[in-house]
Amino acid sequence: MAATTKAVDSDSLVIPLVDFSQFQTGTPEQRSSTAKSILHGFQTAGFIYLTNIPIPPATITHAFTTSSNFFSRPQSCKESLGWTTPESNRGYVSHGREKVSTLLTKDAVAASRTQAPDLKESFEIGREGEAELPNNWPADSAGEEFRKVMLEFHDVCKNLYISVMRAIAVGMGLDECYFDGYTDVGDNTLRLLHYPEVKKDVFKSNKLQVRAGEHTDYGSITLLFQDDRGGLQVKSPRGTFVDAIPIPGSVVVNAGDLLARWSNDTIKSTLHRVVEPPAPEEGDVHPARYSIAYFCNPNFKSHIEAIPGTYGEEKDKKYAGINSGEYLVQRLAATY
Ligand SMILES: O=C(O)CCC(=O)C(=O)O
Ligand SMILES: [Fe+2]
């Protein structure tokens, strides 16, 4: 197979499907051309798909089963592990609580939430071992297993994050390790998502109803593992929403707002959402959908200012420098 093909090509939205093993173990030429394809995908679509990633399929499957077991716990148990503050950004978020959106004020977000709450629940897991910000693990033996599986998954995702940022560095003509000092701490959030089974009528009776409202992600990149249900859509340059179809064995990776800012807007953070699945099955309900998002951030202590090479005589720095952690807390505070 060629190193890069197309995962999506519709309404001027081209999302490349990149064989990541060619960056990790390929010849120098393969490495460099794969890095360029990855960077080009982020610059044009803001999204890429990666195949042949260094995470075994069985590890991903196991994370999905463990996630669905978690969501099948009684509601009262999940509520007892509830999300509390933007600073912590850990714990359970029930249906309709978070309204991901492009709206920036709390009032505007609250108003849109009452119109059509997102049909999902999630569980957020931050970096383990921060004394002030503990993860909310269930206190039973299944909870212990859940903790183990999710912390391992956090770890393998962190390594993939570091590798993707290396590819971006190579694509930009920087030293391969340019971003390592920004990615080594692992201030990232693993979010398990469950979109419950839902009556098809719910979408018919309210045209605004979605599973997750349109939004951009906040951090540097997001690794998005989806099951085979479908419903993820990405906004095209023509303003339409295009299906980002599930491709078995691949991970979707999208750039977030902080990477767009860091790259002086040479990389795009593109709007996306989750809607009614595209090919309704027999019967009057859509089955549940599960996904796992790993939101990657620059170390919270990092100072983020335009990456070398993204500004110069012809293009000024568009943004002032900011602290990564403060930026993210401010964005999260508006959403919940
Ligand atoms: O569930 C999905 O496929 C998308 C989730 C997402 O975009 C998010 O949580 O930021
Ligand atoms: Fe997202």
Side-chain angles (χ1 to χ4, degrees):
M1 189 183 93
T4 301
T5 53
K6 289 172 187 174
V8 172
D9 182 2
S10 184
D11 281 359
S12 305
L13 179 74
V14 178
I15 305 183
L17 178 73
V18 180
D19 177 352
F20 198 56
S21 68
Q22 301 227 355
F23 176 71
Q24 299 214 284
T25 56
T27 62
E29 292 72 31
Q30 287 171 333
R31 264 177 84 71
S32 135
S33 75
T34 305
K36 285 204 179 93
S37 304
I38 289 174
L39 178 61
H40 186 254
F42 286 133
Q43 289 170 331
T44 52
F47 273 75
I48 61 172
Y49 284 60
L50 294 179
T51 56
N52 293 324
I53 55 170
I55 305 179
T59 304
I60 299 170
T61 309
H62 194 43
F64 271 87
T65 345
T66 309
S67 165
S68 100
N69 288 343
F70 171 80
F71 286 116
S72 65
R73 285 172 175 263
Q75 191 62 25
S76 59
C77 166
K78 293 185 284 186
E79 300 283 358
S80 74
L81 306 169
W83 191 97
T84 49
T85 63
E87 286 75 17
S88 152
N89 193 31
R90 285 159 169 82
Y92 174 72
V93 184
S94 60
H95 305 272
R97 170 156 181 193
E98 180 210 26
K99 178 72 188 177
V100 283
S101 78
T102 50
L103 305 170
L104 286 177
T105 69
K106 252 186 150 29
D107 286 351
V109 172
S112 87
R113 184 188 280 124
T114 48
Q115 272 173 22
D118 287 354
L119 298 175
K120 66 172 194 207
E121 56 181 341
S122 67
F123 188 78
E124 323 277 325
I125 301 159
R127 179 158 68 83
E128 181 81 340
E130 278 200 275
E132 309 289 306
L133 305 170
N135 280 310
N136 297 355
W137 306 112
D140 50 29
S141 60
E144 184 48 43
E145 176 64 13
F146 175 63
R147 173 178 182 274
K148 189 172 144 275
V149 172
M150 292 309 159
L151 290 181
E152 274 171 25
F153 201 64
H154 217 287
D155 239 44
V156 291
C157 287
K158 177 187 167 189
N159 291 335
L160 180 54
Y161 169 42
I162 293 172
S163 302
V164 174
M165 292 308 291
R166 286 186 183 163
I168 292 176
V170 171
M172 286 179 161
L174 300 168
D175 183 280
E176 167 166 3
C177 298
Y178 178 81
F179 293 111
D180 285 9
Y182 294 92
T183 53
D184 55 350
V185 173
D187 283 325
N188 310 320
T189 299
L190 179 62
R191 169 186 284 174
L192 313 177
L193 283 146
H194 172 217
Y195 303 89
E197 175 182 286
V198 56
K199 284 222 159 69
K200 290 176 184 169
D201 285 353
V202 171
F203 295 102
K204 283 201 194 71
S205 60
N206 184 352
K207 291 287 162 215
L208 297 176
Q209 186 63 62
V210 289
R211 273 180 153 166
E214 67 177 77
H215 66 281
T216 52
D217 294 347
Y218 306 152
S220 45
I221 59 171
T222 305
L223 311 179
L224 182 63
F225 303 87
Q226 51 171 335
D227 67 13
D228 58 6
R229 297 287 179 206
L232 175 67
Q233 294 187 324
V234 177
K235 199 159 198 182
S236 75
R238 297 202 194 152
T240 55
F241 273 101
V242 171
D243 290 329
I245 48 153
I247 298 180
S250 75
V251 58
V252 173
V253 187
N254 63 291
D257 297 341
L258 193 48
L259 181 57
R261 180 176 171 135
W262 201 2
S263 73
N264 212 23
D265 284 342
T266 57
I267 283 175
K268 286 189 181 147
S269 174
T270 305
L271 283 163
H272 53 285
R273 64 181 189 182
V274 181
V275 297
E276 178 174 17
E281 303 180 24
E282 295 294 301
D284 59 0
V285 295
H286 289 298
R289 174 176 186 270
Y290 292 87
S291 63
I292 300 180
Y294 187 72
F295 297 104
C296 307
N297 305 305
N299 297 345
F300 287 159
K301 288 201 176 127
S302 306
H303 181 76
I304 298 300
E305 215 176 320
I307 299 163
T310 62
Y311 61 93
E313 277 170 19
E314 262 137 56
K315 194 169 186 221
D316 288 339
K317 283 188 190 175
K318 292 173 72 175
Y319 305 102
I322 36 150
N323 168 266
S324 163
E326 280 168 27
Y327 175 85
L328 290 154
V329 166
Q330 180 213 321
R331 293 296 304 272
L332 283 164
T335 317
Y336 284 85

